[in-house]
Amino acid sequence: MVGGGQLARMTHQAAIALGIPFRVMVASPTDSAALVSPDTTTGDPHSAADLAAFATTCDVMTFDHELVDLDALDTIESAGAAVARPPATALRFATDKAHQRRAFAAAGLPLPHHRIVDDAPGAAAAGTDLGWPVVVKTARGGYDGRGVWILDDQAALDALLAQMGDPCPTLVLEERISLERELAVVIARSPDGATVSYPVVETVQADGICRETIVPARIEPHVASEAVEVATAAAEVVGAVGIIAVELFWDGRRVTVNEVATRPHNSGHWTIEGAVTSQFANHLRAVAGLPLGATAAVAPAVVMANILGHADGRDPLDHLHTALGVPGAAVHLYGKGPRPGRKLGHVTVLADTVADARSRARAGVAALGDPVPDRP
């Protein structure tokens, strides 16, 4: 796996149970996965030479993030040095929002009304056409709320463009949807195209960062069916092997695609305790060409809440006793140094009701980091 963050760390845990030899390319010996994985290589995922050298030590390469040199990965695949799952063609969907929007639109997938622009006049025209407020996204490089702005008028857009400088980067401007729910569907896809999908989850965001995942999503069955149908179609267009997470909007009338990730995803962390097969085990099964596992939830309700660094700089380890005192709280810490706002871990609780699971997950998080904001 290229990338040494918490996704690689949790994938390594799944690899232990399956007996799969698992090597990680990390940027630093202090990376989350490097702290627990005995077989690591230090390298830069943007370096063609480092990727090529790493490929010679692997049968299959997979990724805990999409920020890799895609041209170098294409060369590695063409030379047959290693199999990349997902391939560079699939990773591009997660690294380039403009490419993603164009491909999904061509496939007829439901999308927010949007425009792709490369200059300030185009952005101004798009804002007027879509109607204010608009959502502005950089085509490349944004995540966890970064690279995304909600702008109320032309003056705000002009100020943003001035801040970005010249030349203007490629931008995606979208209508601002009045949301009832933000949803996600995690799908595992095999090399032969076989797929299994996990239950539709509801994600609760604050400042562009997922704070909670609620299973099952609080939507009607027909909406859940529509979400799975749209997500499965998106996964086919992407053509990834492994886990594909499809983030969706529900505005009360239709389901639309927000973004996709071609790797294990925050919206699937609940599956470690909450599903028959975790997303990390199914990712490994898929990239290794093994049969996919069952995806059903094992409790009536599951809630995962992210631990973000507290403003007081507290170390979660100093408060682990309190968090583990919350009945049923499964705590996952990623081995990261505490810093306000940093994603340090998560807490998962299984219960008979969403309200109960949510209350206990929030209690665990409050002991370890920044409390989850009160959201309905």
Side-chain angles (χ1 to χ4, degrees), residues 234-245:
E236 288 302 309
V237 174
V238 172
V241 173
I243 289 294
I244 308 157

Side-chain angles (χ1 to χ4, degrees), residues 239-311:
V241 173
I243 289 294
I244 308 157
V246 184
E247 299 178 23
L248 304 161
F249 295 140
W250 168 244
D251 66 0
R253 298 178 298 107
R254 64 175 188 148
V255 171
T256 52
V257 178
N258 177 19
E259 295 182 3
V260 296
T262 52
R263 50 167 171 74
H265 191 254
N266 197 181
S267 64
H269 290 356
W270 69 273
T271 63
I272 298 174
E273 288 84 21
V276 175
T277 311
S278 78
Q279 68 162 341
F280 300 99
N282 258 338
H283 183 72
L284 285 171
R285 288 181 181 216
V287 300
L290 298 170
L292 300 176
T295 55
V298 297
V302 185
V303 171
M304 184 283 307
N306 281 319
I307 303 165
L308 300 189
H310 198 282

Side-chain angles (χ1 to χ4, degrees), residues 5-306:
Q6 62 261 26
L7 300 180
R9 182 184 178 108
M10 289 182 275
T11 305
H12 177 225
Q13 292 173 303
I16 292 171
L18 294 172
I20 294 176
F22 188 72
R23 178 170 296 134
V24 185
M25 185 171 126
V26 300
S28 164
T30 61
D31 282 357
S32 183
L35 298 176
V36 298
S37 299
D39 191 356
T40 61
T41 299
T42 302
D44 180 357
H46 299 287
S47 164
D50 287 356
L51 280 175
F54 187 64
T56 64
T57 70
C58 309
D59 297 309
V60 178
M61 293 174 66
T62 190
F63 310 89
D64 99 327
H65 60 72
E66 300 89 359
L67 304 178
V68 300
D69 185 329
L70 298 185
D71 291 335
L73 190 58
D74 260 332
T75 301
I76 290 167
E77 292 179 274
S78 298
V83 176
R85 291 177 173 166
T89 52
L91 287 170
R92 189 179 174 200
F93 279 82
T95 60
D96 188 336
K97 294 183 179 68
H99 169 71
Q100 180 190 125
R101 283 291 185 253
R102 290 187 183 106
F104 285 169
L109 291 174
L111 301 169
H113 299 302
H114 66 280
R115 300 289 184 273
I116 299 168
V117 301
D118 294 297
D119 54 37
T128 300
D129 187 26
L130 293 168
W132 305 98
V134 296
V135 179
V136 178
K137 301 178 180 180
T138 54
R140 294 175 174 269
Y143 69 98
D144 277 353
R146 301 180 185 93
V148 179
W149 300 267
I150 299 174
L151 305 181
D152 290 328
D153 52 35
Q154 182 64 51
L157 177 60
D158 290 342
L160 175 64
L161 294 172
Q163 179 184 337
M164 290 179 171
D166 191 32
C168 177
T170 300
L171 301 172
V172 179
L173 276 72
E174 296 182 350
E175 63 173 327
R176 186 180 184 187
I177 293 175
S178 179
L179 295 176
E180 284 202 10
R181 303 287 184 212
E182 292 192 57
L183 310 173
V185 180
V186 171
I187 293 172
R189 186 172 185 272
S190 291
D192 63 1
T195 63
V196 293
S197 62
Y198 287 89
V200 182
V201 306
E202 177 183 343
T203 62
V204 181
Q205 314 284 327
D207 298 323
I209 300 175
C210 177
R211 293 307 311 266
E212 296 174 289
T213 297
I214 298 171
V215 189
R218 295 172 295 177
I219 52 177
E220 295 296 322
H222 76 276
V223 179
S225 297
E226 182 181 352
V228 172
E229 181 179 345
V230 170
T232 302
E236 288 302 309
V237 174
V238 172
V241 173
I243 289 294
I244 308 157
V246 184
E247 299 178 23
L248 304 161
F249 295 140
W250 168 244
D251 66 0
R253 298 178 298 107
R254 64 175 188 148
V255 171
T256 52
V257 178
N258 177 19
E259 295 182 3
V260 296
T262 52
R263 50 167 171 74
H265 191 254
N266 197 181
S267 64
H269 290 356
W270 69 273
T271 63
I272 298 174
E273 288 84 21
V276 175
T277 311
S278 78
Q279 68 162 341
F280 300 99
N282 258 338
H283 183 72
L284 285 171
R285 288 181 181 216
V287 300
L290 298 170
L292 300 176
T295 55
V298 297
V302 185
V303 171
M304 184 283 307
N306 281 319

